PDB file of all heavy atoms in Angstrom:
ATOM      1  N   LEU Y 214      -2.492  -9.562  -7.093  1.00  0.00           N
ATOM      2  CA  LEU Y 214      -1.894 -10.310  -5.996  1.00  0.00           C
ATOM      3  C   LEU Y 214      -2.123 -11.807  -6.137  1.00  0.00           C
ATOM      4  O   LEU Y 214      -1.222 -12.611  -5.896  1.00  0.00           O
ATOM      5  CB  LEU Y 214      -2.455  -9.808  -4.664  1.00  0.00           C
ATOM      6  CG  LEU Y 214      -2.106 -10.643  -3.430  1.00  0.00           C
ATOM      7  CD1 LEU Y 214      -0.612 -10.739  -3.246  1.00  0.00           C
ATOM      8  CD2 LEU Y 214      -2.768 -10.059  -2.185  1.00  0.00           C
ATOM      9  N   GLU Y 218       0.839 -14.543  -6.223  1.00  0.00           N
ATOM     10  CA  GLU Y 218       0.986 -15.604  -5.225  1.00  0.00           C
ATOM     11  C   GLU Y 218       0.998 -16.982  -5.883  1.00  0.00           C
ATOM     12  O   GLU Y 218       1.790 -17.861  -5.509  1.00  0.00           O
ATOM     13  CB  GLU Y 218      -0.142 -15.526  -4.205  1.00  0.00           C
ATOM     14  CG  GLU Y 218       0.012 -16.564  -3.104  1.00  0.00           C
ATOM     15  CD  GLU Y 218      -1.106 -16.522  -2.088  1.00  0.00           C
ATOM     16  OE1 GLU Y 218      -1.835 -15.502  -2.036  1.00  0.00           O
ATOM     17  OE2 GLU Y 218      -1.248 -17.507  -1.345  1.00  0.00           O
ATOM     18  N   GLN Y 219       0.135 -17.182  -6.860  1.00  0.00           N
ATOM     19  CA  GLN Y 219       0.098 -18.479  -7.540  1.00  0.00           C
ATOM     20  C   GLN Y 219       1.421 -18.775  -8.235  1.00  0.00           C
ATOM     21  O   GLN Y 219       1.885 -19.915  -8.259  1.00  0.00           O
ATOM     22  CB  GLN Y 219      -1.054 -18.506  -8.547  1.00  0.00           C
ATOM     23  CG  GLN Y 219      -2.435 -18.489  -7.909  1.00  0.00           C
ATOM     24  CD  GLN Y 219      -2.617 -19.593  -6.894  1.00  0.00           C
ATOM     25  OE1 GLN Y 219      -2.446 -20.768  -7.193  1.00  0.00           O
ATOM     26  NE2 GLN Y 219      -2.957 -19.215  -5.671  1.00  0.00           N
ATOM     27  N   LEU Y 222       3.814 -19.912  -5.510  1.00  0.00           N
ATOM     28  CA  LEU Y 222       3.466 -21.258  -5.047  1.00  0.00           C
ATOM     29  C   LEU Y 222       3.957 -22.309  -6.040  1.00  0.00           C
ATOM     30  O   LEU Y 222       4.406 -23.393  -5.645  1.00  0.00           O
ATOM     31  CB  LEU Y 222       1.956 -21.367  -4.844  1.00  0.00           C
ATOM     32  CG  LEU Y 222       1.405 -20.647  -3.606  1.00  0.00           C
ATOM     33  CD1 LEU Y 222      -0.116 -20.594  -3.659  1.00  0.00           C
ATOM     34  CD2 LEU Y 222       1.878 -21.351  -2.326  1.00  0.00           C
ATOM     35  N   GLN Y 243      10.347 -20.287   0.244  1.00  0.00           N
ATOM     36  CA  GLN Y 243       9.360 -19.945   1.281  1.00  0.00           C
ATOM     37  C   GLN Y 243       9.534 -18.493   1.716  1.00  0.00           C
ATOM     38  O   GLN Y 243       8.554 -17.768   1.916  1.00  0.00           O
ATOM     39  CB  GLN Y 243       9.543 -20.863   2.503  1.00  0.00           C
ATOM     40  CG  GLN Y 243       8.845 -22.194   2.423  1.00  0.00           C
ATOM     41  CD  GLN Y 243       7.344 -22.102   2.656  1.00  0.00           C
ATOM     42  OE1 GLN Y 243       6.771 -21.015   2.703  1.00  0.00           O
ATOM     43  NE2 GLN Y 243       6.703 -23.248   2.791  1.00  0.00           N
ATOM     44  N   LEU Y 246       8.120 -16.187  -0.914  1.00  0.00           N
ATOM     45  CA  LEU Y 246       6.663 -16.125  -0.807  1.00  0.00           C
ATOM     46  C   LEU Y 246       6.264 -15.275   0.388  1.00  0.00           C
ATOM     47  O   LEU Y 246       5.331 -14.466   0.303  1.00  0.00           O
ATOM     48  CB  LEU Y 246       6.086 -17.545  -0.683  1.00  0.00           C
ATOM     49  CG  LEU Y 246       4.570 -17.656  -0.478  1.00  0.00           C
ATOM     50  CD1 LEU Y 246       3.806 -16.963  -1.599  1.00  0.00           C
ATOM     51  CD2 LEU Y 246       4.168 -19.129  -0.368  1.00  0.00           C
ATOM     52  N   GLY Y 247       6.979 -15.441   1.501  1.00  0.00           N
ATOM     53  CA  GLY Y 247       6.704 -14.602   2.671  1.00  0.00           C
ATOM     54  C   GLY Y 247       6.909 -13.128   2.372  1.00  0.00           C
ATOM     55  O   GLY Y 247       6.114 -12.281   2.799  1.00  0.00           O
ATOM     56  N   LEU Y 250       3.895 -11.863   0.468  1.00  0.00           N
ATOM     57  CA  LEU Y 250       2.740 -11.687   1.350  1.00  0.00           C
ATOM     58  C   LEU Y 250       2.947 -10.498   2.291  1.00  0.00           C
ATOM     59  O   LEU Y 250       2.012  -9.746   2.585  1.00  0.00           O
ATOM     60  CB  LEU Y 250       2.515 -12.969   2.153  1.00  0.00           C
ATOM     61  CG  LEU Y 250       2.104 -14.194   1.328  1.00  0.00           C
ATOM     62  CD1 LEU Y 250       2.160 -15.460   2.178  1.00  0.00           C
ATOM     63  CD2 LEU Y 250       0.716 -14.010   0.730  1.00  0.00           C
ATOM     64  N   PHE Y 251       4.180 -10.319   2.762  1.00  0.00           N
ATOM     65  CA  PHE Y 251       4.509  -9.159   3.602  1.00  0.00           C
ATOM     66  C   PHE Y 251       4.223  -7.871   2.837  1.00  0.00           C
ATOM     67  O   PHE Y 251       3.598  -6.940   3.369  1.00  0.00           O
ATOM     68  CB  PHE Y 251       5.988  -9.246   3.996  1.00  0.00           C
ATOM     69  CG  PHE Y 251       6.402  -8.348   5.133  1.00  0.00           C
ATOM     70  CD1 PHE Y 251       7.584  -8.590   5.802  1.00  0.00           C
ATOM     71  CD2 PHE Y 251       5.641  -7.264   5.534  1.00  0.00           C
ATOM     72  CE1 PHE Y 251       7.998  -7.778   6.848  1.00  0.00           C
ATOM     73  CE2 PHE Y 251       6.044  -6.443   6.576  1.00  0.00           C
ATOM     74  CZ  PHE Y 251       7.223  -6.702   7.236  1.00  0.00           C
ATOM     75  N   SER Y 253       2.107  -7.331   0.607  1.00  0.00           N
ATOM     76  CA  SER Y 253       0.675  -7.113   0.416  1.00  0.00           C
ATOM     77  C   SER Y 253      -0.066  -7.040   1.745  1.00  0.00           C
ATOM     78  O   SER Y 253      -1.292  -7.170   1.793  1.00  0.00           O
ATOM     79  CB  SER Y 253       0.088  -8.236  -0.451  1.00  0.00           C
ATOM     80  OG  SER Y 253       0.262  -9.493   0.158  1.00  0.00           O
ATOM     81  N   ASN Y 254       0.690  -6.824   2.835  1.00  0.00           N
ATOM     82  CA  ASN Y 254       0.128  -6.623   4.183  1.00  0.00           C
ATOM     83  C   ASN Y 254      -0.601  -7.847   4.726  1.00  0.00           C
ATOM     84  O   ASN Y 254      -1.441  -7.731   5.616  1.00  0.00           O
ATOM     85  CB  ASN Y 254      -0.814  -5.408   4.212  1.00  0.00           C
ATOM     86  CG  ASN Y 254      -0.099  -4.115   3.929  1.00  0.00           C
ATOM     87  OD1 ASN Y 254       1.073  -3.947   4.282  1.00  0.00           O
ATOM     88  ND2 ASN Y 254      -0.754  -3.189   3.257  1.00  0.00           N
ATOM     89  N   GLN Y 255      -0.256  -9.026   4.232  1.00  0.00           N
ATOM     90  CA  GLN Y 255      -0.799 -10.265   4.795  1.00  0.00           C
ATOM     91  C   GLN Y 255       0.208 -10.809   5.809  1.00  0.00           C
ATOM     92  O   GLN Y 255       0.895 -11.803   5.572  1.00  0.00           O
ATOM     93  CB  GLN Y 255      -1.068 -11.276   3.680  1.00  0.00           C
ATOM     94  CG  GLN Y 255      -2.109 -10.809   2.683  1.00  0.00           C
ATOM     95  CD  GLN Y 255      -2.467 -11.905   1.704  1.00  0.00           C
ATOM     96  OE1 GLN Y 255      -3.173 -12.845   2.025  1.00  0.00           O
ATOM     97  NE2 GLN Y 255      -1.965 -11.776   0.493  1.00  0.00           N
ATOM     98  N   PHE Y 256       0.274 -10.133   6.953  1.00  0.00           N
ATOM     99  CA  PHE Y 256       1.364 -10.369   7.890  1.00  0.00           C
ATOM    100  C   PHE Y 256       1.300 -11.753   8.535  1.00  0.00           C
ATOM    101  O   PHE Y 256       2.336 -12.413   8.695  1.00  0.00           O
ATOM    102  CB  PHE Y 256       1.371  -9.273   8.957  1.00  0.00           C
ATOM    103  CG  PHE Y 256       1.531  -7.890   8.395  1.00  0.00           C
ATOM    104  CD1 PHE Y 256       0.680  -6.863   8.793  1.00  0.00           C
ATOM    105  CD2 PHE Y 256       2.512  -7.610   7.463  1.00  0.00           C
ATOM    106  CE1 PHE Y 256       0.812  -5.579   8.270  1.00  0.00           C
ATOM    107  CE2 PHE Y 256       2.671  -6.340   6.936  1.00  0.00           C
ATOM    108  CZ  PHE Y 256       1.804  -5.322   7.348  1.00  0.00           C
ATOM    109  N   ASP Y 257       0.116 -12.208   8.924  1.00  0.00           N
ATOM    110  CA  ASP Y 257       0.018 -13.513   9.569  1.00  0.00           C
ATOM    111  C   ASP Y 257       0.414 -14.631   8.609  1.00  0.00           C
ATOM    112  O   ASP Y 257       1.099 -15.587   8.998  1.00  0.00           O
ATOM    113  CB  ASP Y 257      -1.400 -13.742  10.089  1.00  0.00           C
ATOM    114  CG  ASP Y 257      -1.718 -12.872  11.301  1.00  0.00           C
ATOM    115  OD1 ASP Y 257      -0.826 -12.704  12.150  1.00  0.00           O
ATOM    116  OD2 ASP Y 257      -2.849 -12.370  11.396  1.00  0.00           O
ATOM    117  N   ARG Y 258      -0.004 -14.528   7.369  1.00  0.00           N
ATOM    118  CA  ARG Y 258       0.360 -15.550   6.390  1.00  0.00           C
ATOM    119  C   ARG Y 258       1.862 -15.493   6.070  1.00  0.00           C
ATOM    120  O   ARG Y 258       2.507 -16.530   5.884  1.00  0.00           O
ATOM    121  CB  ARG Y 258      -0.460 -15.380   5.118  1.00  0.00           C
ATOM    122  CG  ARG Y 258      -1.950 -15.629   5.318  1.00  0.00           C
ATOM    123  CD  ARG Y 258      -2.680 -15.563   3.991  1.00  0.00           C
ATOM    124  NE  ARG Y 258      -2.262 -16.659   3.124  1.00  0.00           N
ATOM    125  CZ  ARG Y 258      -2.353 -16.610   1.794  1.00  0.00           C
ATOM    126  NH1 ARG Y 258      -2.800 -15.522   1.188  1.00  0.00           N
ATOM    127  NH2 ARG Y 258      -1.984 -17.646   1.075  1.00  0.00           N
ATOM    128  N   ALA Y 259       2.403 -14.281   6.012  1.00  0.00           N
ATOM    129  CA  ALA Y 259       3.849 -14.160   5.788  1.00  0.00           C
ATOM    130  C   ALA Y 259       4.618 -14.793   6.939  1.00  0.00           C
ATOM    131  O   ALA Y 259       5.645 -15.458   6.724  1.00  0.00           O
ATOM    132  CB  ALA Y 259       4.224 -12.689   5.640  1.00  0.00           C
ATOM    133  N   ALA Y 260       4.123 -14.613   8.159  1.00  0.00           N
ATOM    134  CA  ALA Y 260       4.796 -15.207   9.330  1.00  0.00           C
ATOM    135  C   ALA Y 260       4.854 -16.720   9.209  1.00  0.00           C
ATOM    136  O   ALA Y 260       5.867 -17.347   9.576  1.00  0.00           O
ATOM    137  CB  ALA Y 260       4.076 -14.806  10.611  1.00  0.00           C
ATOM    138  N   GLU Y 261       3.807 -17.352   8.699  1.00  0.00           N
ATOM    139  CA  GLU Y 261       3.807 -18.802   8.512  1.00  0.00           C
ATOM    140  C   GLU Y 261       4.922 -19.218   7.554  1.00  0.00           C
ATOM    141  O   GLU Y 261       5.609 -20.224   7.783  1.00  0.00           O
ATOM    142  CB  GLU Y 261       2.456 -19.262   7.977  1.00  0.00           C
ATOM    143  CG  GLU Y 261       1.288 -19.089   8.944  1.00  0.00           C
ATOM    144  CD  GLU Y 261      -0.036 -19.461   8.308  1.00  0.00           C
ATOM    145  OE1 GLU Y 261      -0.012 -20.056   7.201  1.00  0.00           O
ATOM    146  OE2 GLU Y 261      -1.093 -19.161   8.897  1.00  0.00           O
ATOM    147  N   CYS Y 262       5.084 -18.452   6.476  1.00  0.00           N
ATOM    148  CA  CYS Y 262       6.141 -18.776   5.507  1.00  0.00           C
ATOM    149  C   CYS Y 262       7.526 -18.647   6.131  1.00  0.00           C
ATOM    150  O   CYS Y 262       8.390 -19.527   5.965  1.00  0.00           O
ATOM    151  CB  CYS Y 262       6.029 -17.873   4.287  1.00  0.00           C
ATOM    152  SG  CYS Y 262       4.552 -18.143   3.290  1.00  0.00           S
ATOM    153  N   TYR Y 263       7.758 -17.548   6.842  1.00  0.00           N
ATOM    154  CA  TYR Y 263       9.070 -17.347   7.465  1.00  0.00           C
ATOM    155  C   TYR Y 263       9.339 -18.415   8.525  1.00  0.00           C
ATOM    156  O   TYR Y 263      10.465 -18.913   8.651  1.00  0.00           O
ATOM    157  CB  TYR Y 263       9.156 -15.963   8.096  1.00  0.00           C
ATOM    158  CG  TYR Y 263       9.113 -14.816   7.116  1.00  0.00           C
ATOM    159  CD1 TYR Y 263       8.385 -13.653   7.406  1.00  0.00           C
ATOM    160  CD2 TYR Y 263       9.797 -14.864   5.909  1.00  0.00           C
ATOM    161  CE1 TYR Y 263       8.341 -12.590   6.520  1.00  0.00           C
ATOM    162  CE2 TYR Y 263       9.759 -13.802   5.016  1.00  0.00           C
ATOM    163  CZ  TYR Y 263       9.030 -12.661   5.329  1.00  0.00           C
ATOM    164  OH  TYR Y 263       8.982 -11.605   4.458  1.00  0.00           O
ATOM    165  N   ARG Y 264       8.294 -18.784   9.280  1.00  0.00           N
ATOM    166  CA  ARG Y 264       8.496 -19.805  10.306  1.00  0.00           C
ATOM    167  C   ARG Y 264       8.847 -21.152   9.671  1.00  0.00           C
ATOM    168  O   ARG Y 264       9.719 -21.879  10.159  1.00  0.00           O
ATOM    169  CB  ARG Y 264       7.242 -19.930  11.184  1.00  0.00           C
ATOM    170  CG  ARG Y 264       7.524 -20.575  12.535  1.00  0.00           C
ATOM    171  CD  ARG Y 264       6.271 -20.679  13.380  1.00  0.00           C
ATOM    172  NE  ARG Y 264       5.726 -19.401  13.784  1.00  0.00           N
ATOM    173  CZ  ARG Y 264       6.181 -18.671  14.785  1.00  0.00           C
ATOM    174  NH1 ARG Y 264       7.238 -19.090  15.473  1.00  0.00           N
ATOM    175  NH2 ARG Y 264       5.607 -17.533  15.096  1.00  0.00           N
ATOM    176  N   ASP Y 265       8.159 -21.470   8.569  1.00  0.00           N
ATOM    177  CA  ASP Y 265       8.497 -22.700   7.846  1.00  0.00           C
ATOM    178  C   ASP Y 265       9.943 -22.665   7.356  1.00  0.00           C
ATOM    179  O   ASP Y 265      10.660 -23.672   7.407  1.00  0.00           O
ATOM    180  CB  ASP Y 265       7.550 -22.894   6.659  1.00  0.00           C
ATOM    181  CG  ASP Y 265       6.152 -23.340   7.080  1.00  0.00           C
ATOM    182  OD1 ASP Y 265       5.992 -23.776   8.237  1.00  0.00           O
ATOM    183  OD2 ASP Y 265       5.229 -23.228   6.253  1.00  0.00           O
ATOM    184  N   VAL Y 291       7.837  -9.344  10.844  1.00  0.00           N
ATOM    185  CA  VAL Y 291       6.446  -9.454  10.407  1.00  0.00           C
ATOM    186  C   VAL Y 291       5.521  -9.707  11.591  1.00  0.00           C
ATOM    187  O   VAL Y 291       4.361  -9.256  11.601  1.00  0.00           O
ATOM    188  CB  VAL Y 291       6.293 -10.544   9.325  1.00  0.00           C
ATOM    189  CG1 VAL Y 291       6.305 -11.943   9.919  1.00  0.00           C
ATOM    190  CG2 VAL Y 291       5.015 -10.320   8.521  1.00  0.00           C
ATOM    191  N   ALA Y 295       2.223  -7.553  12.611  1.00  0.00           N
ATOM    192  CA  ALA Y 295       0.939  -8.199  12.894  1.00  0.00           C
ATOM    193  C   ALA Y 295       0.439  -7.878  14.301  1.00  0.00           C
ATOM    194  O   ALA Y 295      -0.662  -8.304  14.662  1.00  0.00           O
ATOM    195  CB  ALA Y 295       1.074  -9.711  12.725  1.00  0.00           C
ATOM    196  N   ARG Y 297       1.775  -8.933  17.051  1.00  0.00           N
ATOM    197  CA  ARG Y 297       2.054 -10.074  17.936  1.00  0.00           C
ATOM    198  C   ARG Y 297       3.399  -9.825  18.625  1.00  0.00           C
ATOM    199  O   ARG Y 297       4.413 -10.459  18.359  1.00  0.00           O
ATOM    200  CB  ARG Y 297       2.045 -11.361  17.120  1.00  0.00           C
ATOM    201  CG  ARG Y 297       0.679 -11.647  16.513  1.00  0.00           C
ATOM    202  CD  ARG Y 297       0.702 -12.571  15.320  1.00  0.00           C
ATOM    203  NE  ARG Y 297       1.229 -13.890  15.581  1.00  0.00           N
ATOM    204  CZ  ARG Y 297       1.311 -14.865  14.676  1.00  0.00           C
ATOM    205  NH1 ARG Y 297       0.878 -14.636  13.430  1.00  0.00           N
ATOM    206  NH2 ARG Y 297       1.815 -16.041  14.987  1.00  0.00           N
ATOM    207  N   GLU Y 662      -6.505 -26.641  -0.485  1.00  0.00           N
ATOM    208  CA  GLU Y 662      -5.500 -25.634  -0.104  1.00  0.00           C
ATOM    209  C   GLU Y 662      -5.515 -24.469  -1.091  1.00  0.00           C
ATOM    210  O   GLU Y 662      -5.405 -23.300  -0.691  1.00  0.00           O
ATOM    211  CB  GLU Y 662      -4.118 -26.271  -0.060  1.00  0.00           C
ATOM    212  CG  GLU Y 662      -3.929 -27.264   1.078  1.00  0.00           C
ATOM    213  CD  GLU Y 662      -2.554 -27.905   1.054  1.00  0.00           C
ATOM    214  OE1 GLU Y 662      -1.787 -27.624   0.097  1.00  0.00           O
ATOM    215  OE2 GLU Y 662      -2.249 -28.682   1.976  1.00  0.00           O
ATOM    216  N   HIS Y 663      -5.659 -24.794  -2.371  1.00  0.00           N
ATOM    217  CA  HIS Y 663      -5.710 -23.756  -3.405  1.00  0.00           C
ATOM    218  C   HIS Y 663      -6.911 -22.839  -3.185  1.00  0.00           C
ATOM    219  O   HIS Y 663      -6.796 -21.611  -3.274  1.00  0.00           O
ATOM    220  CB  HIS Y 663      -5.801 -24.426  -4.780  1.00  0.00           C
ATOM    221  CG  HIS Y 663      -5.956 -23.469  -5.922  1.00  0.00           C
ATOM    222  ND1 HIS Y 663      -4.972 -22.582  -6.301  1.00  0.00           N
ATOM    223  CD2 HIS Y 663      -7.005 -23.243  -6.758  1.00  0.00           C
ATOM    224  CE1 HIS Y 663      -5.395 -21.865  -7.324  1.00  0.00           C
ATOM    225  NE2 HIS Y 663      -6.625 -22.240  -7.618  1.00  0.00           N
ATOM    226  N   ASN Y 665      -8.489 -22.221  -0.358  1.00  0.00           N
ATOM    227  CA  ASN Y 665      -8.269 -21.389   0.829  1.00  0.00           C
ATOM    228  C   ASN Y 665      -7.313 -20.242   0.528  1.00  0.00           C
ATOM    229  O   ASN Y 665      -7.536 -19.104   0.955  1.00  0.00           O
ATOM    230  CB  ASN Y 665      -7.727 -22.243   1.974  1.00  0.00           C
ATOM    231  CG  ASN Y 665      -8.762 -23.191   2.539  1.00  0.00           C
ATOM    232  OD1 ASN Y 665      -9.964 -22.918   2.478  1.00  0.00           O
ATOM    233  ND2 ASN Y 665      -8.324 -24.312   3.092  1.00  0.00           N
ATOM    234  N   ARG Y 666      -6.262 -20.553  -0.209  1.00  0.00           N
ATOM    235  CA  ARG Y 666      -5.304 -19.496  -0.539  1.00  0.00           C
ATOM    236  C   ARG Y 666      -5.937 -18.445  -1.443  1.00  0.00           C
ATOM    237  O   ARG Y 666      -5.683 -17.241  -1.278  1.00  0.00           O
ATOM    238  CB  ARG Y 666      -4.075 -20.095  -1.233  1.00  0.00           C
ATOM    239  CG  ARG Y 666      -3.177 -20.931  -0.325  1.00  0.00           C
ATOM    240  CD  ARG Y 666      -1.842 -21.193  -1.013  1.00  0.00           C
ATOM    241  NE  ARG Y 666      -1.031 -22.147  -0.298  1.00  0.00           N
ATOM    242  CZ  ARG Y 666      -0.919 -23.427  -0.622  1.00  0.00           C
ATOM    243  NH1 ARG Y 666      -1.574 -23.896  -1.677  1.00  0.00           N
ATOM    244  NH2 ARG Y 666      -0.153 -24.230   0.073  1.00  0.00           N
ATOM    245  N   ILE Y 667      -6.740 -18.891  -2.403  1.00  0.00           N
ATOM    246  CA  ILE Y 667      -7.389 -17.948  -3.311  1.00  0.00           C
ATOM    247  C   ILE Y 667      -8.286 -16.995  -2.537  1.00  0.00           C
ATOM    248  O   ILE Y 667      -8.264 -15.773  -2.747  1.00  0.00           O
ATOM    249  CB  ILE Y 667      -8.221 -18.706  -4.377  1.00  0.00           C
ATOM    250  CG1 ILE Y 667      -7.296 -19.343  -5.418  1.00  0.00           C
ATOM    251  CG2 ILE Y 667      -9.208 -17.777  -5.066  1.00  0.00           C
ATOM    252  CD1 ILE Y 667      -6.642 -18.354  -6.345  1.00  0.00           C
ATOM    253  N   VAL Y 668      -9.077 -17.532  -1.622  1.00  0.00           N
ATOM    254  CA  VAL Y 668      -9.989 -16.684  -0.844  1.00  0.00           C
ATOM    255  C   VAL Y 668      -9.207 -15.704   0.020  1.00  0.00           C
ATOM    256  O   VAL Y 668      -9.536 -14.508   0.100  1.00  0.00           O
ATOM    257  CB  VAL Y 668     -10.923 -17.551   0.021  1.00  0.00           C
ATOM    258  CG1 VAL Y 668     -11.701 -16.687   1.005  1.00  0.00           C
ATOM    259  CG2 VAL Y 668     -11.895 -18.327  -0.869  1.00  0.00           C
ATOM    260  N   GLN Y 669      -8.126 -16.179   0.663  1.00  0.00           N
ATOM    261  CA  GLN Y 669      -7.333 -15.294   1.520  1.00  0.00           C
ATOM    262  C   GLN Y 669      -6.654 -14.190   0.721  1.00  0.00           C
ATOM    263  O   GLN Y 669      -6.734 -13.002   1.076  1.00  0.00           O
ATOM    264  CB  GLN Y 669      -6.275 -16.114   2.267  1.00  0.00           C
ATOM    265  CG  GLN Y 669      -6.841 -16.993   3.360  1.00  0.00           C
ATOM    266  CD  GLN Y 669      -5.753 -17.846   4.003  1.00  0.00           C
ATOM    267  OE1 GLN Y 669      -4.880 -18.399   3.327  1.00  0.00           O
ATOM    268  NE2 GLN Y 669      -5.803 -17.951   5.315  1.00  0.00           N
ATOM    269  N   SER Y 670      -5.994 -14.584  -0.360  1.00  0.00           N
ATOM    270  CA  SER Y 670      -5.272 -13.572  -1.133  1.00  0.00           C
ATOM    271  C   SER Y 670      -6.226 -12.679  -1.914  1.00  0.00           C
ATOM    272  O   SER Y 670      -5.951 -11.492  -2.113  1.00  0.00           O
ATOM    273  CB  SER Y 670      -4.255 -14.239  -2.069  1.00  0.00           C
ATOM    274  OG  SER Y 670      -4.858 -15.200  -2.882  1.00  0.00           O
ATOM    275  N   ALA Y 671      -7.386 -13.224  -2.342  1.00  0.00           N
ATOM    276  CA  ALA Y 671      -8.374 -12.386  -3.019  1.00  0.00           C
ATOM    277  C   ALA Y 671      -8.922 -11.327  -2.077  1.00  0.00           C
ATOM    278  O   ALA Y 671      -9.153 -10.186  -2.469  1.00  0.00           O
ATOM    279  CB  ALA Y 671      -9.507 -13.239  -3.569  1.00  0.00           C
ATOM    280  N   THR Y 672      -9.132 -11.702  -0.818  1.00  0.00           N
ATOM    281  CA  THR Y 672      -9.605 -10.724   0.166  1.00  0.00           C
ATOM    282  C   THR Y 672      -8.608  -9.584   0.300  1.00  0.00           C
ATOM    283  O   THR Y 672      -8.976  -8.400   0.276  1.00  0.00           O
ATOM    284  CB  THR Y 672      -9.815 -11.408   1.533  1.00  0.00           C
ATOM    285  OG1 THR Y 672     -10.772 -12.453   1.401  1.00  0.00           O
ATOM    286  CG2 THR Y 672     -10.301 -10.412   2.574  1.00  0.00           C
ATOM    287  N   ALA Y 673      -7.331  -9.933   0.405  1.00  0.00           N
ATOM    288  CA  ALA Y 673      -6.301  -8.892   0.524  1.00  0.00           C
ATOM    289  C   ALA Y 673      -6.221  -8.059  -0.745  1.00  0.00           C
ATOM    290  O   ALA Y 673      -6.121  -6.826  -0.683  1.00  0.00           O
ATOM    291  CB  ALA Y 673      -4.946  -9.540   0.816  1.00  0.00           C
TER     292      ALA Y 673
END
Side-chain angles (χ1 to χ4, degrees):
L214 170 59
E218 183 181 343
Q219 292 306 304
L222 286 169
Q243 275 284 10
L246 176 57
L250 294 169
F251 195 163
S253 60
N254 296 327
Q255 297 187 75
F256 301 131
D257 289 321
R258 294 185 66 204
E261 293 175 12
C262 293
Y263 294 140
R264 200 180 294 280
D265 286 345
V291 77
R297 297 158 61 179
E662 291 178 356
H663 176 67
N665 289 332
R666 290 193 189 100
I667 286 289
V668 170
Q669 288 176 318
S670 54
T672 301

